[in-house]
Amino acid sequence: MSLKIRKNRSVAPPEQCVLTECMAIIAGAWAPNVIWHLRAGPRRFSELRLDIPPVSAKVLSQRLKELEARGVINRTIQPTTPPSVEYALTALGEKLVPALSAIVDVGYKLKMGATGSAVPSQAVD
C-alpha cells in the first residue's frame, strides 16, 4: 500500500517570491562575507581582501559589482591622491545584517550541537 500524497495547506507564495529575491542576493559566493564585514562601516577593496583571505581579487571585484548593482552597497571614490574607493552598506544592505546574524547564530548552534552554547553573532568577525 502506497502512502497518499497530502495536500500542501500553506499559503502559496506571491508570483515574484520575496524569499527568492533575498536569497539571490546572499547566495552568491562571498556575498554574505562582504556584507558581514561592511556592517561596521566603510571598507576599501584592499581591506576587504584582508578581511576575507580566501577570496580572489577577481571574485571579490565581481561580488562588489553585483552587490552595487542590486543596491546593497555603495561605491564611493574618495578624493585622495591616488584616488581610493570605499564600499559601504546601503539602507537595504543594513537590513540584511540581522538576517545574516541569525544565520550565524544558527550556524554556531549547529556546530556546537543542540546542547552546546552559542557565541553571540555580534562578537564574531
mmCIF file of all heavy atoms in Angstrom, residues 4-58:
data_model
loop_
_atom_site.group_PDB
_atom_site.id
_atom_site.type_symbol
_atom_site.label_atom_id
_atom_site.label_comp_id
_atom_site.label_asym_id
_atom_site.label_seq_id
_atom_site.Cartn_x
_atom_site.Cartn_y
_atom_site.Cartn_z
ATOM 1 N N LYS A 4 -0.430 8.064 0.694
ATOM 2 C CA LYS A 4 -1.211 9.057 -0.024
ATOM 3 C C LYS A 4 -0.489 10.402 0.054
ATOM 4 O O LYS A 4 0.016 10.784 1.111
ATOM 5 C CB LYS A 4 -2.601 9.166 0.603
ATOM 6 C CG LYS A 4 -3.537 10.050 -0.169
ATOM 7 C CD LYS A 4 -4.916 10.022 0.479
ATOM 8 C CE LYS A 4 -5.852 10.911 -0.302
ATOM 9 N NZ LYS A 4 -7.198 10.898 0.290
ATOM 10 N N ILE A 5 -0.436 11.114 -1.051
ATOM 11 C CA ILE A 5 0.186 12.441 -1.085
ATOM 12 C C ILE A 5 -0.756 13.425 -0.393
ATOM 13 O O ILE A 5 -1.926 13.532 -0.752
ATOM 14 C CB ILE A 5 0.447 12.900 -2.537
ATOM 15 C CG1 ILE A 5 1.346 11.927 -3.271
ATOM 16 C CG2 ILE A 5 1.003 14.311 -2.576
ATOM 17 C CD1 ILE A 5 2.767 11.918 -2.791
ATOM 18 N N ARG A 6 -0.221 14.112 0.591
ATOM 19 C CA ARG A 6 -1.030 15.085 1.315
ATOM 20 C C ARG A 6 -1.018 16.422 0.582
ATOM 21 O O ARG A 6 -0.024 16.807 -0.031
ATOM 22 C CB ARG A 6 -0.488 15.288 2.726
ATOM 23 C CG ARG A 6 -0.589 14.030 3.559
ATOM 24 C CD ARG A 6 0.042 14.234 4.892
ATOM 25 N NE ARG A 6 1.492 14.296 4.682
ATOM 26 C CZ ARG A 6 2.395 14.403 5.644
ATOM 27 N NH1 ARG A 6 2.009 14.493 6.886
ATOM 28 N NH2 ARG A 6 3.672 14.429 5.383
ATOM 29 N N LYS A 7 -2.113 17.135 0.694
ATOM 30 C CA LYS A 7 -2.239 18.447 0.066
ATOM 31 C C LYS A 7 -1.441 19.462 0.880
ATOM 32 O O LYS A 7 -1.475 19.448 2.114
ATOM 33 C CB LYS A 7 -3.703 18.857 0.003
ATOM 34 C CG LYS A 7 -3.931 20.158 -0.714
ATOM 35 C CD LYS A 7 -5.405 20.490 -0.809
ATOM 36 C CE LYS A 7 -5.551 21.824 -1.525
ATOM 37 N NZ LYS A 7 -6.945 22.214 -1.645
ATOM 38 N N ASN A 8 -0.719 20.330 0.192
ATOM 39 C CA ASN A 8 0.028 21.387 0.863
ATOM 40 C C ASN A 8 -0.960 22.471 1.272
ATOM 41 O O ASN A 8 -1.614 23.085 0.433
ATOM 42 C CB ASN A 8 1.091 21.952 -0.078
ATOM 43 C CG ASN A 8 1.979 22.963 0.600
ATOM 44 O OD1 ASN A 8 1.692 23.432 1.697
ATOM 45 N ND2 ASN A 8 3.069 23.310 -0.058
ATOM 46 N N ARG A 9 -1.044 22.750 2.577
ATOM 47 C CA ARG A 9 -2.015 23.718 3.079
ATOM 48 C C ARG A 9 -1.408 25.093 3.332
ATOM 49 O O ARG A 9 -2.090 25.990 3.800
ATOM 50 C CB ARG A 9 -2.652 23.183 4.347
ATOM 51 C CG ARG A 9 -3.520 21.968 4.068
ATOM 52 C CD ARG A 9 -4.409 21.648 5.245
ATOM 53 N NE ARG A 9 -5.376 20.645 4.849
ATOM 54 C CZ ARG A 9 -5.332 19.377 5.206
ATOM 55 N NH1 ARG A 9 -4.353 18.953 5.985
ATOM 56 N NH2 ARG A 9 -6.249 18.542 4.806
ATOM 57 N N SER A 10 -0.130 25.258 3.048
ATOM 58 C CA SER A 10 0.478 26.571 3.250
ATOM 59 C C SER A 10 0.016 27.524 2.151
ATOM 60 O O SER A 10 -0.339 27.107 1.056
ATOM 61 C CB SER A 10 2.000 26.474 3.269
ATOM 62 O OG SER A 10 2.470 26.073 2.016
ATOM 63 N N VAL A 11 0.020 28.788 2.470
ATOM 64 C CA VAL A 11 -0.387 29.808 1.510
ATOM 65 C C VAL A 11 0.648 29.850 0.396
ATOM 66 O O VAL A 11 1.859 29.825 0.654
ATOM 67 C CB VAL A 11 -0.491 31.184 2.206
ATOM 68 C CG1 VAL A 11 -0.842 32.271 1.216
ATOM 69 C CG2 VAL A 11 -1.494 31.125 3.341
ATOM 70 N N ALA A 12 0.176 29.924 -0.822
ATOM 71 C CA ALA A 12 1.088 29.976 -1.971
ATOM 72 C C ALA A 12 1.892 31.273 -1.935
ATOM 73 O O ALA A 12 1.361 32.327 -1.557
ATOM 74 C CB ALA A 12 0.286 29.900 -3.269
ATOM 75 N N PRO A 13 3.185 31.219 -2.294
ATOM 76 C CA PRO A 13 3.985 32.444 -2.299
ATOM 77 C C PRO A 13 3.517 33.379 -3.410
ATOM 78 O O PRO A 13 2.910 32.928 -4.386
ATOM 79 C CB PRO A 13 5.408 31.947 -2.583
ATOM 80 C CG PRO A 13 5.217 30.639 -3.251
ATOM 81 C CD PRO A 13 3.940 30.062 -2.729
ATOM 82 N N PRO A 14 3.792 34.669 -3.256
ATOM 83 C CA PRO A 14 3.433 35.585 -4.330
ATOM 84 C C PRO A 14 4.176 35.219 -5.606
ATOM 85 O O PRO A 14 5.197 34.531 -5.567
ATOM 86 C CB PRO A 14 3.879 36.957 -3.830
ATOM 87 C CG PRO A 14 4.500 36.746 -2.513
ATOM 88 C CD PRO A 14 4.429 35.314 -2.156
ATOM 89 N N GLU A 15 3.665 35.681 -6.726
ATOM 90 C CA GLU A 15 4.261 35.334 -8.014
ATOM 91 C C GLU A 15 5.763 35.637 -8.032
ATOM 92 O O GLU A 15 6.567 34.829 -8.429
ATOM 93 C CB GLU A 15 3.552 36.076 -9.136
ATOM 94 C CG GLU A 15 3.948 35.584 -10.492
ATOM 95 C CD GLU A 15 2.766 35.180 -11.319
ATOM 96 O OE1 GLU A 15 1.669 35.035 -10.804
ATOM 97 O OE2 GLU A 15 2.975 35.001 -12.516
ATOM 98 N N GLN A 16 6.142 36.831 -7.638
ATOM 99 C CA GLN A 16 7.547 37.208 -7.512
ATOM 100 C C GLN A 16 7.942 36.964 -6.050
ATOM 101 O O GLN A 16 7.820 37.856 -5.226
ATOM 102 C CB GLN A 16 7.749 38.682 -7.875
ATOM 103 C CG GLN A 16 7.508 39.003 -9.320
ATOM 104 C CD GLN A 16 8.748 38.752 -10.143
ATOM 105 O OE1 GLN A 16 9.859 38.831 -9.661
ATOM 106 N NE2 GLN A 16 8.559 38.428 -11.406
ATOM 107 N N CYS A 17 8.378 35.779 -5.732
ATOM 108 C CA CYS A 17 8.661 35.383 -4.352
ATOM 109 C C CYS A 17 9.767 36.247 -3.740
ATOM 110 O O CYS A 17 10.879 36.319 -4.267
ATOM 111 C CB CYS A 17 9.047 33.911 -4.295
ATOM 112 S SG CYS A 17 9.343 33.331 -2.627
ATOM 113 N N VAL A 18 9.449 36.903 -2.629
ATOM 114 C CA VAL A 18 10.421 37.780 -1.981
ATOM 115 C C VAL A 18 11.570 36.990 -1.360
ATOM 116 O O VAL A 18 12.687 37.486 -1.278
ATOM 117 C CB VAL A 18 9.740 38.684 -0.928
ATOM 118 C CG1 VAL A 18 8.811 39.670 -1.596
ATOM 119 C CG2 VAL A 18 8.971 37.878 0.098
ATOM 120 N N LEU A 19 11.302 35.774 -0.932
ATOM 121 C CA LEU A 19 12.375 34.940 -0.393
ATOM 122 C C LEU A 19 13.408 34.652 -1.473
ATOM 123 O O LEU A 19 14.615 34.718 -1.229
ATOM 124 C CB LEU A 19 11.811 33.641 0.174
ATOM 125 C CG LEU A 19 12.834 32.655 0.725
ATOM 126 C CD1 LEU A 19 13.608 33.266 1.887
ATOM 127 C CD2 LEU A 19 12.160 31.374 1.155
ATOM 128 N N THR A 20 12.943 34.370 -2.667
ATOM 129 C CA THR A 20 13.854 34.107 -3.785
ATOM 130 C C THR A 20 14.703 35.336 -4.091
ATOM 131 O O THR A 20 15.900 35.218 -4.353
ATOM 132 C CB THR A 20 13.059 33.683 -5.036
ATOM 133 O OG1 THR A 20 12.272 32.543 -4.698
ATOM 134 C CG2 THR A 20 13.980 33.332 -6.187
ATOM 135 N N GLU A 21 14.094 36.508 -4.033
ATOM 136 C CA GLU A 21 14.834 37.753 -4.283
ATOM 137 C C GLU A 21 15.932 37.948 -3.239
ATOM 138 O O GLU A 21 17.065 38.284 -3.578
ATOM 139 C CB GLU A 21 13.882 38.959 -4.266
ATOM 140 C CG GLU A 21 12.959 39.033 -5.452
ATOM 141 C CD GLU A 21 13.699 39.260 -6.762
ATOM 142 O OE1 GLU A 21 14.640 40.065 -6.789
ATOM 143 O OE2 GLU A 21 13.337 38.617 -7.751
ATOM 144 N N CYS A 22 15.598 37.743 -1.980
ATOM 145 C CA CYS A 22 16.580 37.916 -0.903
ATOM 146 C C CYS A 22 17.689 36.882 -1.003
ATOM 147 O O CYS A 22 18.871 37.213 -0.866
ATOM 148 C CB CYS A 22 15.885 37.829 0.450
ATOM 149 S SG CYS A 22 16.974 38.192 1.832
ATOM 150 N N MET A 23 17.324 35.642 -1.267
ATOM 151 C CA MET A 23 18.324 34.587 -1.371
ATOM 152 C C MET A 23 19.239 34.795 -2.571
ATOM 153 O O MET A 23 20.410 34.431 -2.524
ATOM 154 C CB MET A 23 17.650 33.209 -1.455
ATOM 155 C CG MET A 23 16.987 32.785 -0.154
ATOM 156 S SD MET A 23 18.087 32.833 1.272
ATOM 157 C CE MET A 23 19.257 31.571 0.832
ATOM 158 N N ALA A 24 18.732 35.402 -3.627
ATOM 159 C CA ALA A 24 19.571 35.685 -4.791
ATOM 160 C C ALA A 24 20.700 36.643 -4.416
ATOM 161 O O ALA A 24 21.795 36.569 -4.970
ATOM 162 C CB ALA A 24 18.727 36.262 -5.920
ATOM 163 N N ILE A 25 20.443 37.527 -3.466
ATOM 164 C CA ILE A 25 21.469 38.481 -3.037
ATOM 165 C C ILE A 25 22.524 37.797 -2.180
ATOM 166 O O ILE A 25 23.719 37.931 -2.425
ATOM 167 C CB ILE A 25 20.833 39.660 -2.267
ATOM 168 C CG1 ILE A 25 19.988 40.505 -3.213
ATOM 169 C CG2 ILE A 25 21.915 40.518 -1.608
ATOM 170 C CD1 ILE A 25 19.175 41.568 -2.523
ATOM 171 N N ILE A 26 22.086 37.042 -1.187
ATOM 172 C CA ILE A 26 23.059 36.472 -0.240
ATOM 173 C C ILE A 26 23.574 35.106 -0.653
ATOM 174 O O ILE A 26 24.447 34.557 0.022
ATOM 175 C CB ILE A 26 22.502 36.429 1.198
ATOM 176 C CG1 ILE A 26 21.288 35.522 1.309
ATOM 177 C CG2 ILE A 26 22.192 37.821 1.689
ATOM 178 C CD1 ILE A 26 20.814 35.304 2.734
ATOM 179 N N ALA A 27 23.070 34.554 -1.745
ATOM 180 C CA ALA A 27 23.510 33.222 -2.161
ATOM 181 C C ALA A 27 24.795 33.248 -2.985
ATOM 182 O O ALA A 27 25.430 32.224 -3.169
ATOM 183 C CB ALA A 27 22.408 32.525 -2.958
ATOM 184 N N GLY A 28 25.203 34.394 -3.476
ATOM 185 C CA GLY A 28 26.424 34.478 -4.276
ATOM 186 C C GLY A 28 27.651 34.174 -3.438
ATOM 187 O O GLY A 28 27.699 34.488 -2.248
ATOM 188 N N ALA A 29 28.636 33.552 -4.068
ATOM 189 C CA ALA A 29 29.866 33.223 -3.358
ATOM 190 C C ALA A 29 30.488 34.479 -2.767
ATOM 191 O O ALA A 29 30.683 35.463 -3.473
ATOM 192 C CB ALA A 29 30.851 32.539 -4.308
ATOM 193 N N TRP A 30 30.729 34.467 -1.486
ATOM 194 C CA TRP A 30 31.382 35.523 -0.723
ATOM 195 C C TRP A 30 30.507 36.746 -0.478
ATOM 196 O O TRP A 30 30.917 37.638 0.260
ATOM 197 C CB TRP A 30 32.716 35.941 -1.354
ATOM 198 C CG TRP A 30 33.640 34.786 -1.508
ATOM 199 C CD1 TRP A 30 33.995 34.179 -2.681
ATOM 200 C CD2 TRP A 30 34.302 34.062 -0.481
ATOM 201 N NE1 TRP A 30 34.833 33.119 -2.445
ATOM 202 C CE2 TRP A 30 35.052 33.029 -1.094
ATOM 203 C CE3 TRP A 30 34.335 34.166 0.896
ATOM 204 C CZ2 TRP A 30 35.813 32.130 -0.369
ATOM 205 C CZ3 TRP A 30 35.105 33.268 1.605
ATOM 206 C CH2 TRP A 30 35.833 32.271 0.979
ATOM 207 N N ALA A 31 29.312 36.825 -1.031
ATOM 208 C CA ALA A 31 28.442 37.985 -0.808
ATOM 209 C C ALA A 31 28.097 38.158 0.679
ATOM 210 O O ALA A 31 28.193 39.279 1.200
ATOM 211 C CB ALA A 31 27.187 37.899 -1.660
ATOM 212 N N PRO A 32 27.717 37.087 1.387
ATOM 213 C CA PRO A 32 27.436 37.268 2.815
ATOM 214 C C PRO A 32 28.654 37.765 3.590
ATOM 215 O O PRO A 32 28.520 38.580 4.502
ATOM 216 C CB PRO A 32 27.023 35.874 3.298
ATOM 217 C CG PRO A 32 26.600 35.155 2.080
ATOM 218 C CD PRO A 32 27.422 35.718 0.959
ATOM 219 N N ASN A 33 29.835 37.297 3.208
ATOM 220 C CA ASN A 33 31.059 37.738 3.883
ATOM 221 C C ASN A 33 31.302 39.232 3.663
ATOM 222 O O ASN A 33 31.705 39.946 4.580
ATOM 223 C CB ASN A 33 32.260 36.940 3.388
ATOM 224 C CG ASN A 33 32.109 35.469 3.644
ATOM 225 O OD1 ASN A 33 31.277 34.823 3.011
ATOM 226 N ND2 ASN A 33 32.891 34.931 4.555
ATOM 227 N N VAL A 34 31.079 39.685 2.444
ATOM 228 C CA VAL A 34 31.260 41.106 2.134
ATOM 229 C C VAL A 34 30.295 41.937 2.967
ATOM 230 O O VAL A 34 30.696 42.915 3.612
ATOM 231 C CB VAL A 34 31.065 41.377 0.625
ATOM 232 C CG1 VAL A 34 31.027 42.868 0.339
ATOM 233 C CG2 VAL A 34 32.164 40.706 -0.189
ATOM 234 N N ILE A 35 29.026 41.546 2.984
ATOM 235 C CA ILE A 35 28.024 42.274 3.769
ATOM 236 C C ILE A 35 28.399 42.251 5.240
ATOM 237 O O ILE A 35 28.323 43.271 5.931
ATOM 238 C CB ILE A 35 26.620 41.676 3.535
ATOM 239 C CG1 ILE A 35 26.209 41.853 2.070
ATOM 240 C CG2 ILE A 35 25.593 42.313 4.464
ATOM 241 C CD1 ILE A 35 25.003 41.032 1.652
ATOM 242 N N TRP A 36 28.833 41.097 5.722
ATOM 243 C CA TRP A 36 29.207 40.940 7.134
ATOM 244 C C TRP A 36 30.330 41.908 7.518
ATOM 245 O O TRP A 36 30.286 42.548 8.559
ATOM 246 C CB TRP A 36 29.622 39.498 7.382
ATOM 247 C CG TRP A 36 29.919 39.204 8.822
ATOM 248 C CD1 TRP A 36 31.139 39.168 9.423
ATOM 249 C CD2 TRP A 36 28.969 38.924 9.846
ATOM 250 N NE1 TRP A 36 31.011 38.871 10.748
ATOM 251 C CE2 TRP A 36 29.687 38.717 11.039
ATOM 252 C CE3 TRP A 36 27.581 38.826 9.861
ATOM 253 C CZ2 TRP A 36 29.055 38.426 12.241
ATOM 254 C CZ3 TRP A 36 26.955 38.527 11.057
ATOM 255 C CH2 TRP A 36 27.692 38.324 12.230
ATOM 256 N N HIS A 37 31.332 42.017 6.674
ATOM 257 C CA HIS A 37 32.480 42.867 7.004
ATOM 258 C C HIS A 37 32.198 44.352 6.790
ATOM 259 O O HIS A 37 32.911 45.191 7.355
ATOM 260 C CB HIS A 37 33.720 42.421 6.224
ATOM 261 C CG HIS A 37 34.273 41.131 6.736
ATOM 262 N ND1 HIS A 37 34.911 41.008 7.945
ATOM 263 C CD2 HIS A 37 34.246 39.881 6.217
ATOM 264 C CE1 HIS A 37 35.266 39.759 8.147
ATOM 265 N NE2 HIS A 37 34.863 39.051 7.103
ATOM 266 N N LEU A 38 31.189 44.673 6.030
ATOM 267 C CA LEU A 38 30.818 46.080 5.842
ATOM 268 C C LEU A 38 29.825 46.555 6.901
ATOM 269 O O LEU A 38 29.522 47.746 6.955
ATOM 270 C CB LEU A 38 30.223 46.304 4.444
ATOM 271 C CG LEU A 38 31.193 46.178 3.281
ATOM 272 C CD1 LEU A 38 30.451 46.312 1.956
ATOM 273 C CD2 LEU A 38 32.297 47.225 3.376
ATOM 274 N N ARG A 39 29.367 45.668 7.758
ATOM 275 C CA ARG A 39 28.346 46.047 8.738
ATOM 276 C C ARG A 39 28.862 47.078 9.742
ATOM 277 O O ARG A 39 28.081 47.846 10.288
ATOM 278 C CB ARG A 39 27.789 44.817 9.446
ATOM 279 C CG ARG A 39 28.682 44.222 10.509
ATOM 280 C CD ARG A 39 28.163 42.875 10.988
ATOM 281 N NE ARG A 39 28.815 42.425 12.183
ATOM 282 C CZ ARG A 39 30.035 41.922 12.252
ATOM 283 N NH1 ARG A 39 30.764 41.818 11.165
ATOM 284 N NH2 ARG A 39 30.551 41.538 13.398
ATOM 285 N N ALA A 40 30.151 47.105 9.983
ATOM 286 C CA ALA A 40 30.720 48.033 10.962
ATOM 287 C C ALA A 40 31.118 49.372 10.338
ATOM 288 O O ALA A 40 31.493 50.283 11.054
ATOM 289 C CB ALA A 40 31.927 47.410 11.647
ATOM 290 N N GLY A 41 31.043 49.482 9.015
ATOM 291 C CA GLY A 41 31.391 50.745 8.366
ATOM 292 C C GLY A 41 32.099 50.522 7.048
ATOM 293 O O GLY A 41 32.378 49.380 6.655
ATOM 294 N N PRO A 42 32.391 51.604 6.346
ATOM 295 C CA PRO A 42 33.015 51.510 5.017
ATOM 296 C C PRO A 42 34.382 50.823 5.056
ATOM 297 O O PRO A 42 35.125 50.934 6.040
ATOM 298 C CB PRO A 42 33.167 52.966 4.589
ATOM 299 C CG PRO A 42 32.234 53.736 5.444
ATOM 300 C CD PRO A 42 32.130 52.988 6.729
ATOM 301 N N ARG A 43 34.677 50.103 3.982
ATOM 302 C CA ARG A 43 35.973 49.428 3.827
ATOM 303 C C ARG A 43 36.452 49.623 2.399
ATOM 304 O O ARG A 43 35.655 49.697 1.468
ATOM 305 C CB ARG A 43 35.847 47.921 4.098
ATOM 306 C CG ARG A 43 35.268 47.535 5.432
ATOM 307 C CD ARG A 43 36.172 47.745 6.583
ATOM 308 N NE ARG A 43 37.218 46.714 6.615
ATOM 309 C CZ ARG A 43 38.318 46.836 7.314
ATOM 310 N NH1 ARG A 43 38.545 47.900 8.026
ATOM 311 N NH2 ARG A 43 39.212 45.880 7.307
ATOM 312 N N ARG A 44 37.771 49.700 2.233
ATOM 313 C CA ARG A 44 38.363 49.749 0.899
ATOM 314 C C ARG A 44 38.555 48.318 0.387
ATOM 315 O O ARG A 44 38.502 47.360 1.140
ATOM 316 C CB ARG A 44 39.700 50.494 0.945
ATOM 317 C CG ARG A 44 39.545 51.979 1.266
ATOM 318 C CD ARG A 44 40.853 52.750 1.119
ATOM 319 N NE ARG A 44 41.975 52.159 1.838
ATOM 320 C CZ ARG A 44 42.280 52.397 3.105
ATOM 321 N NH1 ARG A 44 41.547 53.236 3.810
ATOM 322 N NH2 ARG A 44 43.319 51.823 3.666
ATOM 323 N N PHE A 45 38.785 48.196 -0.902
ATOM 324 C CA PHE A 45 38.956 46.896 -1.538
ATOM 325 C C PHE A 45 40.065 46.100 -0.853
ATOM 326 O O PHE A 45 39.877 44.927 -0.512
ATOM 327 C CB PHE A 45 39.266 47.076 -3.033
ATOM 328 C CG PHE A 45 39.371 45.791 -3.784
ATOM 329 C CD1 PHE A 45 38.238 45.190 -4.309
ATOM 330 C CD2 PHE A 45 40.596 45.163 -3.967
ATOM 331 C CE1 PHE A 45 38.313 43.991 -4.998
ATOM 332 C CE2 PHE A 45 40.687 43.965 -4.666
ATOM 333 C CZ PHE A 45 39.547 43.383 -5.178
ATOM 334 N N SER A 46 41.204 46.724 -0.636
ATOM 335 C CA SER A 46 42.339 46.012 -0.024
ATOM 336 C C SER A 46 42.007 45.568 1.396
ATOM 337 O O SER A 46 42.468 44.505 1.846
ATOM 338 C CB SER A 46 43.594 46.883 -0.036
ATOM 339 O OG SER A 46 43.356 48.089 0.669
ATOM 340 N N GLU A 47 41.214 46.358 2.118
ATOM 341 C CA GLU A 47 40.823 45.968 3.470
ATOM 342 C C GLU A 47 39.891 44.753 3.430
ATOM 343 O O GLU A 47 40.020 43.846 4.258
ATOM 344 C CB GLU A 47 40.133 47.141 4.175
ATOM 345 C CG GLU A 47 41.070 48.292 4.437
ATOM 346 C CD GLU A 47 40.371 49.554 4.904
ATOM 347 O OE1 GLU A 47 39.192 49.771 4.550
ATOM 348 O OE2 GLU A 47 41.022 50.333 5.632
ATOM 349 N N LEU A 48 38.981 44.732 2.462
ATOM 350 C CA LEU A 48 38.098 43.575 2.315
ATOM 351 C C LEU A 48 38.895 42.324 1.942
ATOM 352 O O LEU A 48 38.582 41.225 2.390
ATOM 353 C CB LEU A 48 37.012 43.848 1.277
ATOM 354 C CG LEU A 48 35.912 44.807 1.725
ATOM 355 C CD1 LEU A 48 35.045 45.229 0.546
ATOM 356 C CD2 LEU A 48 35.065 44.183 2.825
ATOM 357 N N ARG A 49 39.920 42.484 1.125
ATOM 358 C CA ARG A 49 40.785 41.334 0.778
ATOM 359 C C ARG A 49 41.450 40.773 2.026
ATOM 360 O O ARG A 49 41.601 39.562 2.167
ATOM 361 C CB ARG A 49 41.881 41.752 -0.214
ATOM 362 C CG ARG A 49 41.493 41.936 -1.642
ATOM 363 C CD ARG A 49 41.167 40.668 -2.412
ATOM 364 N NE ARG A 49 42.064 39.535 -2.280
ATOM 365 C CZ ARG A 49 43.169 39.321 -2.981
ATOM 366 N NH1 ARG A 49 43.545 40.185 -3.899
ATOM 367 N NH2 ARG A 49 43.890 38.254 -2.779
ATOM 368 N N LEU A 50 41.859 41.656 2.948
ATOM 369 C CA LEU A 50 42.461 41.196 4.200
ATOM 370 C C LEU A 50 41.412 40.570 5.126
ATOM 371 O O LEU A 50 41.709 39.613 5.852
ATOM 372 C CB LEU A 50 43.158 42.349 4.914
ATOM 373 C CG LEU A 50 44.404 42.913 4.222
ATOM 374 C CD1 LEU A 50 44.890 44.162 4.931
ATOM 375 C CD2 LEU A 50 45.498 41.859 4.162
ATOM 376 N N ASP A 51 40.190 41.111 5.094
ATOM 377 C CA ASP A 51 39.109 40.580 5.926
ATOM 378 C C ASP A 51 38.706 39.177 5.490
ATOM 379 O O ASP A 51 38.316 38.351 6.312
ATOM 380 C CB ASP A 51 37.860 41.473 5.850
ATOM 381 C CG ASP A 51 38.062 42.834 6.507
ATOM 382 O OD1 ASP A 51 38.984 42.971 7.332
ATOM 383 O OD2 ASP A 51 37.281 43.750 6.186
ATOM 384 N N ILE A 52 38.758 38.922 4.172
ATOM 385 C CA ILE A 52 38.294 37.653 3.604
ATOM 386 C C ILE A 52 39.448 37.023 2.821
ATOM 387 O O ILE A 52 39.467 37.051 1.589
ATOM 388 C CB ILE A 52 37.077 37.879 2.681
ATOM 389 C CG1 ILE A 52 36.058 38.814 3.337
ATOM 390 C CG2 ILE A 52 36.426 36.554 2.311
ATOM 391 C CD1 ILE A 52 34.996 39.332 2.385
ATOM 392 N N PRO A 53 40.439 36.460 3.496
ATOM 393 C CA PRO A 53 41.639 35.967 2.808
ATOM 394 C C PRO A 53 41.419 34.950 1.688
ATOM 395 O O PRO A 53 42.119 35.014 0.681
ATOM 396 C CB PRO A 53 42.478 35.345 3.930
ATOM 397 C CG PRO A 53 41.950 35.913 5.187
ATOM 398 C CD PRO A 53 40.526 36.282 4.937
ATOM 399 N N PRO A 54 40.460 34.019 1.808
ATOM 400 C CA PRO A 54 40.350 33.017 0.736
ATOM 401 C C PRO A 54 39.813 33.550 -0.601
ATOM 402 O O PRO A 54 39.967 32.902 -1.618
ATOM 403 C CB PRO A 54 39.372 31.978 1.287
ATOM 404 C CG PRO A 54 39.191 32.276 2.725
ATOM 405 C CD PRO A 54 39.591 33.694 2.929
ATOM 406 N N VAL A 55 39.179 34.719 -0.603
ATOM 407 C CA VAL A 55 38.563 35.218 -1.830
ATOM 408 C C VAL A 55 39.634 35.817 -2.749
ATOM 409 O O VAL A 55 40.550 36.501 -2.297
ATOM 410 C CB VAL A 55 37.447 36.244 -1.533
ATOM 411 C CG1 VAL A 55 37.995 37.539 -0.997
ATOM 412 C CG2 VAL A 55 36.607 36.518 -2.767
ATOM 413 N N SER A 56 39.503 35.520 -4.042
ATOM 414 C CA SER A 56 40.443 36.101 -5.008
ATOM 415 C C SER A 56 40.007 37.526 -5.339
ATOM 416 O O SER A 56 38.841 37.899 -5.153
ATOM 417 C CB SER A 56 40.475 35.265 -6.290
ATOM 418 O OG SER A 56 39.247 35.387 -6.986
ATOM 419 N N ALA A 57 40.932 38.309 -5.848
ATOM 420 C CA ALA A 57 40.627 39.689 -6.216
ATOM 421 C C ALA A 57 39.545 39.738 -7.297
ATOM 422 O O ALA A 57 38.652 40.584 -7.259
ATOM 423 C CB ALA A 57 41.892 40.399 -6.695
ATOM 424 N N LYS A 58 39.613 38.810 -8.234
ATOM 425 C CA LYS A 58 38.641 38.774 -9.322
ATOM 426 C C LYS A 58 37.230 38.513 -8.797
ATOM 427 O O LYS A 58 36.275 39.218 -9.153
ATOM 428 C CB LYS A 58 39.023 37.689 -10.331
ATOM 429 C CG LYS A 58 38.051 37.549 -11.467
ATOM 430 C CD LYS A 58 38.432 36.406 -12.386
ATOM 431 C CE LYS A 58 37.363 36.212 -13.455
ATOM 432 N NZ LYS A 58 37.634 35.060 -14.293
#
